[in-house]
Amino acid sequence: MRNKYSVFSLIKNALSYHENWQRAWKDPTPKKEYDAVIVGGGGHGLATAYYLAKKHNMNNIAVVEKGWIGGGNTGRNTTIIRSNYLWDASAGLYDHALKIWESLSQELNYNVMFSQRGVMNLAHNLQDVRDLKRRTHANRLNGIDAVYLSTEEVKKFCPIINTSPDIRYPVLGGTLQRRAGTARHDAVAWGYARGADAMGVDIVQNCEVKGIKRNGDSVEGIETTKGFIKTKKIGVVAAGHSSVIANMAGLRLPLESKPLQALVSEPVKPIIDTVVMSNAVHAYVSQSDKGELVIGAGTDDYVSYTQKGSHQIVEGTLNAILELYPIFSRMRMLRQWGGIVDICPDASPILSKTSVKGLYFNCGWGTGGFKATPGSGDLFAHTIANDEPHKLNAAFNLNRFVSGDLVDEHGAAAVAH
Amino acid sequence: MFLINCPYCGERDQQEFKAGGEAHIERPKQPTELSDDEWAEYLFMRKNIKGVQFERWNHTHGCRKWFNMVRDTSNDEIKAIYKMGEKPPTR
């Protein structure tokens, strides 16, 4: 039985010096066979397992994770959540996720610290202005809140932005999605893990997939560092390493894996109470609840699995940050890191069946997967359980690269891919 | 970030170069004969290897010439560089 977190449990555990909290999830050895196995214990994978158990009564399932849960891109992103994408298919997908975020803490009984502080996207040239206005209109037609702001309104909403007309890339305007915001990345992984574990899902950490066993056109199981696990359904949610897993099954995916960097500053008092993103100059910034500035940079343009990234990318981003926010000129940066993002040619994800029966892929989220975590898990669970996509992820199939029915979101994906 | 030994200019910083993706993807000889599946394979599907990968690079801020590179994508170590049209090294 899983104890509920509440103010009373907090007081009770305080009396015993917080030494008797129940484990949030077990540390099981994998069984010989499962009804389904999820490869990858990040937010998306854990959410998939959670919704498989909760909505589709699949409780005999496992999540296998090479390292520790939430230690990959879930722990490396800049935690921005928004749904202001251009096309109808994307609007449906990302807003589905945003709606789940709005009540996720209550549902999981785990505070994911979802904060709807708004996300502002800046325009720095006339084409940006046209694109952002078009996207604002498209968003509103799809029922997604979006407003276009003039330079003065940008300054009013976020006073520390330098809106002087004589900087290299002046602020000509921007868009604002007020329902957008941030969440605590670790809490999302831990909350879903705790919820899934409570429904009987085995979360197996330090368990790397070494091979996928196929019998003709269907899957039979996975070879792991903890032995062979028999299963008829495999859901791969491996982000930057999706192609590596696909190659084990003899498939190729339309993905390239590249390092994407982020960095945080020393913690300071509240200075920026929203999220500001700027595509043209490759810089986005928000402030964590701890007070650190969270800054996102761009990707390197070559394939690499090194989780590092190049210095000049960070330098370019900080140049832009300093021009837009001169007040940060004496900030000291604490940490910098890279994550490996799997980028699709159309900057949209893949949540799809494959040519191999029982093998499903949830990948291609590129530079912006965190925002979609709950929706992605929900829709991917539907796809695995029913062997058919939900109508909201039907457009995000692998076959779109054959039919040509691509979902081009290079504009809304924010970091130029 | 690493150094690249351009076959025409010598050793230069990686930021002078532009990565051009997977090498040795042959352009279809009979484009009109290709099925949609074959087009998808040619245009979009990539090996995206973690390990030793063959790729094309361009020295955009130098001689602007294309060349091939063998690189280990797990640690960015360059194994070999050879000109366009040359046979890829076998080991």
Side-chain angles (χ1 to χ4, degrees):
Chain A
M1 186 57 201
R2 183 56 38 88
N3 294 341
K4 201 168 164 15
Y5 290 154
S6 68
V7 65
F8 304 108
S9 71
L10 189 63
I11 294 166
K12 190 176 143 220
N13 281 284
L15 295 175
S16 57
Y17 302 99
H18 298 292
E19 285 173 355
N20 296 316
W21 284 100
Q22 188 183 24
R23 280 189 76 114
W25 53 86
K26 298 179 288 290
D27 186 18
T29 40
K31 290 188 236 170
K32 294 264 177 286
E33 183 172 0
Y34 289 99
D35 294 339
V37 172
I38 305 300
V39 178
H44 289 244
L46 293 164
T48 304
Y50 175 85
Y51 292 111
L52 273 173
K54 187 176 182 206
K55 290 180 140 183
H56 306 282
N57 298 318
M58 289 180 70
N59 302 88
N60 182 32
I61 62 175
V63 178
V64 294
E65 162 58 45
K66 178 170 68 173
W68 63 96
I69 58 167
N73 289 355
T74 303
R76 293 165 189 269
N77 66 88
T78 50
T79 76
I80 299 169
I81 295 163
R82 61 190 172 88
S83 64
N84 55 352
Y85 281 72
L86 178 66
W87 300 106
D88 296 355
S90 317
L93 181 70
Y94 291 102
D95 211 49
H96 177 62
L98 183 47
K99 284 180 189 134
I100 302 176
W101 277 115
E102 287 175 330
S103 56
L104 190 61
S105 293
Q106 288 75 15
E107 184 186 334
L108 294 177
N109 177 230
Y110 204 105
N111 187 4
V112 299
M113 296 164 74
F114 180 51
S115 158
Q116 292 179 295
R117 58 184 68 183
V119 168
M120 196 156 66
N121 287 87
L122 300 181
H124 294 283
N125 54 53
L126 292 176
Q127 189 59 44
D128 275 358
V129 171
R130 285 188 287 265
D131 288 345
L132 287 180
K133 280 186 176 167
R134 178 189 179 201
R135 189 135 64 83
T136 305
H137 293 313
N139 288 159
R140 292 168 77 142
L141 286 171
N142 277 316
I144 292 169
D145 70 306
V147 284
Y148 188 82
L149 305 179
S150 67
T151 307
E152 294 70 35
E153 288 166 327
V154 167
K155 182 80 179 169
K156 199 167 163 217
F157 190 72
C158 185
I160 61 170
I161 294 182
N162 179 7
T163 52
S164 157
D166 53 12
I167 62 175
R168 176 65 184 85
Y169 297 103
V171 177
L172 301 185
T175 62
L176 175 62
Q177 184 181 19
R178 289 183 191 274
R179 283 165 63 232
T182 59
R184 171 83 189 144
H185 51 89
D186 289 329
V188 180
W190 298 339
Y192 273 123
R194 178 169 169 267
D197 180 272
M199 291 183 286
V201 176
D202 279 353
I203 297 165
V204 188
Q205 302 183 74
N206 298 310
C207 180
E208 184 177 356
V209 174
K210 292 301 214 183
I212 291 180
K213 195 171 175 208
R214 275 175 66 169
N215 178 15
D217 278 344
S218 54
V219 293
E220 283 197 325
I222 52 170
E223 232 22 279
T224 75
T225 47
K226 293 193 175 181
F228 181 74
I229 303 172
K230 199 174 161 193
T231 184
K232 287 195 168 60
K233 290 187 174 197
I234 302 170
V236 182
V237 202
H241 283 68
S242 298
S243 297
V244 177
I245 307 281
N247 291 342
M248 291 175 188
L251 295 179
R252 286 208 295 170
L253 294 171
L255 298 175
E256 286 194 313
S257 296
K258 296 173 177 180
L260 174 67
Q261 293 179 82
L263 59 165
V264 295
S265 72
E266 59 189 339
V268 289
K269 288 181 179 177
I271 181 70
I272 179 163
D273 62 356
T274 184
V275 182
V276 186
M277 312 184 69
S278 182
N279 300 5
V281 296
H282 263 221
Y284 37 110
V285 62
S286 63
Q287 192 171 16
S288 74
D289 291 351
K290 253 191 289 185
E292 305 151 322
L293 292 182
V294 183
I295 294 172
T299 53
D300 279 293
D301 75 343
Y302 52 86
V303 171
S304 181
Y305 288 85
T306 54
Q307 292 190 329
K308 284 191 293 202
S310 305
H311 295 297
Q312 77 265 16
I313 303 277
V314 169
E315 191 180 9
T317 291
L318 290 180
N319 281 343
I321 292 279
L322 287 189
E323 189 174 62
L324 279 174
Y325 313 91
I327 193 174
F328 294 154
S329 66
R330 289 200 224 166
M331 264 327 239
R332 283 171 295 192
M333 291 296 145
L334 274 191
R335 297 191 305 279
Q336 169 273 347
W337 65 91
I340 302 305
V341 296
D342 42 333
I343 294 177
C344 248
D346 59 355
S348 283
I350 296 164
L351 296 102
S352 179
K353 297 161 67 169
T354 63
S355 54
V356 182
K357 191 170 161 29
L359 183 62
Y360 307 85
F361 271 90
N362 182 351
C363 59
W365 289 95
T367 58
F370 178 76
K371 64 173 79 70
T373 305
S376 156
D378 182 31
L379 299 173
F380 196 49
H382 181 101
T383 308
I384 293 173
N386 298 301
D387 197 35
E388 274 304 320
H390 187 277
K391 68 177 188 324
L392 287 174
N393 68 309
F396 299 94
N397 59 53
L398 258 174
N399 197 52
R400 73 178 189 264
F401 299 97
V402 177
S403 69
D405 192 9
L406 303 178
V407 189
D408 180 2
E409 287 290 359
H410 283 279
V415 188
H417 277 47
Chain B
M1 188 181 241
F2 39 84
L3 293 174
I4 295 175
N5 194 3
C6 171
Y8 304 97
C9 311
E11 206 162 66
R12 299 292 173 88
D13 195 296
Q14 173 259 318
Q15 61 176 315
E16 289 188 15
F17 298 81
K18 171 92 183 148
E22 194 177 315
H24 307 298
I25 299 175
E26 201 177 336
R27 192 176 170 80
K29 288 201 171 63
Q30 298 282 350
T32 50
E33 308 288 307
L34 243 51
S35 68
D36 289 350
D37 282 312
E38 288 166 329
W39 270 121
E41 279 293 317
Y42 168 68
L43 286 173
F44 297 123
M45 300 303 162
R46 296 292 177 262
K47 289 181 191 152
N48 196 26
I49 292 168
K50 181 177 187 178
V52 176
Q53 166 159 299
F54 292 76
E55 45 194 31
R56 298 176 305 173
W57 285 73
N58 185 281
H59 194 182
T60 40
H61 296 284
C63 60
R64 304 188 67 184
K65 286 199 175 85
W66 285 93
F67 57 92
N68 292 310
M69 185 190 292
V70 187
R71 188 172 57 94
D72 188 335
T73 59
S74 65
N75 57 14
D76 287 343
E77 192 187 322
I78 297 171
K79 304 283 187 189
I81 285 175
Y82 54 102
K83 291 178 182 172
M84 283 290 163
E86 287 179 7
K87 280 252 183 300
T90 46
R91 50 162 299 144

